[in-house]
Amino acid sequence: SSELTQDPPVSVALGQTVRITCQGDSLKTYYASWYQHKPGQAPVLLMFGKNNRPSGIPGRFSGSNSGITASLTITGAQAEDEADYYCNSRDTSGILFGGGTKLTVL
Amino acid sequence: QVRLQQSGPGLVKPSQTLSLTCAISGDTVSSNSAAWNWIRQSPSRGLEWLGRTYYRSKWFNDYGVSVKSRIAITADTSKNHFALQLQSVTPDDTAVYYCARDQGDIWTSKFDFWGQGLHVTVSS
């Protein structure tokens, strides 16, 4: 069955750059979207499509796609970026989510 | 601005049916460009897509493999809301349940608006 695989927990020093990846066969056909999820809050859409950011999302978030891998990059991580990050995509029968990557900002 | 307001019980007994509703404002459940989804989050599973309903000249439903045999998602156009029913629940169904709008296209899933989330515990 289709699935999306994400990195294990990662950490980044304040102000530095971190990249989180998401791999899966569905990404050959469909674009990944990315969400930030903090405890007690609903997930927030960060990136979608080729490299689109909804209004209100800071420019330090960017995305890229290559083959079966999608990446989310945070350039100049801030303390408020500490959260869980999820990728998702369509697949032939519905929707997939990755397992999530916990980001710690040191 | 789209707003999704969830309602339902926070405690369900094992073997019973979990029922939640999601009231939509700022959009319509019969929109030809949106799909209306239920997603849950638990520490063990992360975000898990449960299913969706959408209208494209007629109503369609799709469900996630893990719950396909016991889930139903329905839309009520008179109330502009959609509902989740999950039958035969077990403690493993304990999670935070979200409703969300997917306003993507055929290539991209884009959950741009989410409900506030409801924590549902399955316990006797």
Side-chain angles (χ1 to χ4, degrees):
Chain A
S1 63
S2 297
E3 59 181 23
L4 294 174
T5 301
Q6 293 189 232
D7 302 321
V10 299
S11 59
V12 61
L14 187 68
Q16 296 303 300
T17 296
V18 62
R19 185 167 70 178
I20 298 169
T21 65
C22 171
Q23 284 194 325
D25 286 340
S26 62
L27 301 182
K28 290 180 196 173
T29 306
Y30 303 101
Y31 287 111
S33 294
W34 290 92
Y35 303 83
Q36 179 189 68
H37 192 206
K38 296 181 180 179
Q41 300 180 21
V44 172
L45 177 68
L46 293 176
M47 302 292 305
F48 65 94
K50 202 165 186 180
N51 189 11
N52 301 302
R53 219 174 21 250
S55 60
I57 300 300
R60 64 180 180 273
F61 292 95
S62 63
S64 63
N65 302 275
S66 178
I68 65 167
T69 302
S71 301
L72 174 73
T73 300
I74 308 173
T75 304
Q78 302 299 302
E80 61 264 31
D81 298 336
E82 186 160 293
D84 294 326
Y85 290 85
Y86 291 90
C87 62
N88 95 299
S89 80
R90 298 201 185 288
D91 85 339
T92 51
S93 57
I95 303 290
L96 299 174
F97 276 99
T101 296
K102 183 175 183 59
L103 175 68
T104 300
V105 180
L106 304 173
Chain B
Q1 181 79 337
V2 175
R3 185 166 180 252
L4 304 178
Q5 182 68 36
Q6 297 175 226
S7 58
L11 180 64
V12 181
K13 293 186 187 316
S15 80
Q16 294 192 341
T17 297
L18 183 161
S19 297
L20 300 175
T21 59
C22 182
I24 303 164
S25 55
D27 199 351
T28 61
V29 72
S30 54
S31 163
N32 271 299
S33 61
W36 303 97
N37 296 255
W38 287 99
I39 296 160
R40 68 184 177 185
Q41 192 273 335
S42 64
S44 58
R45 293 180 170 165
L47 290 176
E48 179 185 11
W49 179 74
L50 300 178
R52 64 188 173 194
T53 189
Y54 57 100
Y55 185 77
R56 302 289 185 270
S57 302
K58 67 176 185 177
W59 288 100
F60 293 88
N61 290 290
D62 298 301
Y63 299 124
V65 170
S66 65
V67 294
K68 196 166 190 171
S69 62
R70 56 191 183 99
I71 188 174
I73 296 175
T74 56
D76 186 329
T77 56
S78 66
K79 296 179 181 177
N80 202 32
H81 78 196
F82 63 108
L84 165 71
Q85 288 200 315
L86 187 64
Q87 301 174 335
S88 306
V89 296
T90 71
D92 196 44
D93 293 310
T94 294
V96 178
Y97 286 75
Y98 294 99
C99 58
R101 184 181 82 165
D102 182 352
Q103 188 75 359
D105 56 30
I106 59 170
W107 307 116
T108 306
S109 168
K110 184 177 88 169
F111 293 110
D112 55 354
F113 288 97
W114 296 68
Q116 80 275 22
L118 279 180
H119 190 276
V120 179
T121 300
V122 179
S123 174
S124 53

